[in-house]
Amino acid sequence: MHKHCLITGGSGFVGQHLLAALTRQGHSATLLMREPQRLPALAQAIERLGGRADLLSAVGADLSSPGLALSAADREKVSEAGVVFHLAALFGWNLTTAQARQVNVTGALQVAELAVQQGSRMLLAGGFMLANHAHLQSLGVDLQQPERTDWDAVYRRAGGYEGSKLEAYFRVRAYMAQHQGALTVVHPATVCGHSRSGHILPGQPLASLIGTLAAGQLGAIPGSAKHWLPLVSVDFLAELIMAVGFDEQQVGQDVLALDAATPNLRALVQELAAVLKVSAPRWHIAIPLLRALLKIPGMPRLLHSDAQALDFIQTKVFDTSATQALARRYQLTWPDINEALRASARYLMERG
Ligand SMILES: NC(=O)c1ccc[n+]([C@@H]2O[C@H](COP(=O)([O-])OP(=O)(O)OC[C@H]3O[C@@H](n4cnc5c(N)ncnc54)[C@H](OP(=O)(O)O)[C@@H]3O)[C@@H](O)[C@H]2O)c1
């Protein structure tokens, strides 16, 4: 049966692929957009990704405004949505706590409130670092009683973006539990381009890494042979988000969207370098040393890196057995992640 969905972040990378996947299957979607006048151009982009423009509509809304700046008429228009996919987030390595909190935490709570008021399910995009409990504890997150966490201290350690993603997750979860709302959370690893076309948007963290490597600005590989940057291809992620968003059995569940076949960081960089026809760095640099260097004013610009990005390079081996079982249940095939990496590099290289 075709469903009607509400989606925030539809103009973003994951959002575009989710809209293509939803409309390809005949589901309709209303987008909450800061600039709804951009819908026609976005709808064309979604058609190029294999979706259907005729099933898309948009209303004006801003996560950082009280009441999402949704008019009463638009609130009525979106009230029929069966599922609210909340993908929007403010991303950047230099966000202040206040900026990140306003959009990523207060905004997410407003979306949760909307979902509860209209009786919709909510699908929240979290992040894979939420599945690394040792990392959360090292940042000061109280996993037993998250409401007791000193969030300002977490933001100081993790930075605005990561701090706000963590706080948003725990606060939205508490809000939905308190109001008997139906919540499912998908935690994506760093998102790789489409496994065949390589389609990726320029602002994406992986696209930045590819750009740095292509420009010959990656002097050494952060970490050791045990370090990796877990990935998931955007096409697999979109299909997984759609499937769990419609699956009643996933209410109350957290789903880790991470491809366990991602190579270690050294092999990942070599794979990309071969496509880009540049030489891959041969040496590793220890993460604590790199972190210390990046604290020196001017160094992030000089090293084309940011200390906040280092948290995503890990040695942890994640348990993906539950996701593997879901993929089998929904008949989703994991694309070859090495091929997705190569396709992403080719896609960006062809576009300069
Ligand atoms: N990409 C990754 O590697 C990755 C990894 C783990 C988790 N995630 C999470 O997955 C989700 C989707 O990521 P993405 O990479 O697709 O994001 P993205 O490409 O950066 O897009 C962000 C989206 O958020 C919207 N947005 C930002 N501020 C807004 C505001 N104040 N009001 C309304 N909309 C606003 C943007 O709309 P405009 O067009 O108006 O700017 C855009 O559609 C995010 O929650 C992200 O944290 C991403």
Side-chain angles (χ1 to χ4, degrees), residues 157-213:
R157 292 181 195 117
Y161 173 69
E162 191 185 346
S164 64
K165 289 293 294 182
L166 304 181
E167 185 181 7
Y169 167 74
F170 288 106
R171 302 240 348 240
V172 167
R173 213 176 59 163
Y175 179 88
M176 294 301 268
Q178 191 188 349
H179 294 87
Q180 286 89 44
L183 175 70
T184 305
V185 188
V186 172
H187 298 295
T190 295
V191 186
C192 183
H194 189 282
S195 59
R196 289 184 305 280
S197 70
H199 177 262
I200 186 165
L201 296 185
Q204 287 295 303
L206 184 70
S208 305
L209 173 65
I210 294 173
T212 305
L213 184 61

Side-chain angles (χ1 to χ4, degrees), residues 272-287:
L272 294 172
V275 176
L276 299 169
K277 299 190 173 45
V278 296
S279 44
R282 293 171 57 197
W283 311 109
H284 283 278
I285 176 164
I287 293 217

Side-chain angles (χ1 to χ4, degrees), residues 6 14 20 36 55 103 113 124 128 130 139 214 217 219 241 252 278 293 303 316 336:
L6 187 60
V14 180
L55 293 175
V103 177
E113 198 180 319
L124 173 71
F128 78 103
L130 278 149
L139 292 176
Q217 291 166 340
I241 290 177
V278 296
L293 286 174
L303 296 178
K316 181 178 165 62
D336 179 340

Side-chain angles (χ1 to χ4, degrees), residues 23-214:
T23 56
R24 207 162 34 231
Q25 297 218 347
H27 304 297
S28 56
T30 301
L31 288 77
L32 292 190
M33 290 180 85
R34 281 191 284 190
E35 297 173 81
Q37 69 278 12
R38 284 174 48 209
L39 180 66
L42 177 62
Q44 280 181 6
I46 286 156
E47 285 211 325
R48 285 195 293 276
L49 296 175
R52 281 177 54 184
D54 60 314
L55 293 175
L56 301 174
S57 56
V59 296
D62 191 329
L63 292 178
S64 62
S65 301
L68 298 168
L70 256 183
S71 69
D74 285 344
R75 218 165 246 274
E76 183 62 33
K77 258 192 224 162
V78 303
S79 62
E80 293 301 308
V83 185
V84 178
F85 291 93
H86 179 50
L87 306 182
L90 188 59
F91 168 71
W93 298 134
N94 51 6
L95 300 177
T96 65
T97 296
Q99 284 170 324
R101 240 188 193 147
Q102 187 182 25
V103 177
N104 297 348
V105 182
T106 312
L109 282 166
Q110 296 201 85
V111 174
E113 198 180 319
L114 181 72
V116 166
Q117 279 169 1
Q118 59 187 38
S120 309
R121 274 186 66 180
M122 180 176 182
L123 184 302
L124 173 71
F128 78 103
M129 60 278 182
L130 278 149
N132 185 343
H133 290 182
H135 173 64
L136 297 182
Q137 277 163 334
S138 75
L139 292 176
V141 176
D142 186 330
L143 291 173
Q144 265 64 51
Q145 292 171 284
E147 66 285 357
R148 296 183 60 174
T149 298
D150 176 355
W151 286 109
D152 288 330
V154 173
Y155 280 81
R156 278 195 298 278
R157 292 181 195 117
Y161 173 69
E162 191 185 346
S164 64
K165 289 293 294 182
L166 304 181
E167 185 181 7
Y169 167 74
F170 288 106
R171 302 240 348 240
V172 167
R173 213 176 59 163
Y175 179 88
M176 294 301 268
Q178 191 188 349
H179 294 87
Q180 286 89 44
L183 175 70
T184 305
V185 188
V186 172
H187 298 295
T190 295
V191 186
C192 183
H194 189 282
S195 59
R196 289 184 305 280
S197 70
H199 177 262
I200 186 165
L201 296 185
Q204 287 295 303
L206 184 70
S208 305
L209 173 65
I210 294 173
T212 305
L213 184 61

Side-chain angles (χ1 to χ4, degrees), residues 241-254:
I241 290 177
M242 177 171 67
V244 300
F246 290 154
D247 182 352
E248 289 296 330
Q249 289 183 27
Q250 293 308 309
V251 172
Q253 299 296 314
D254 283 38

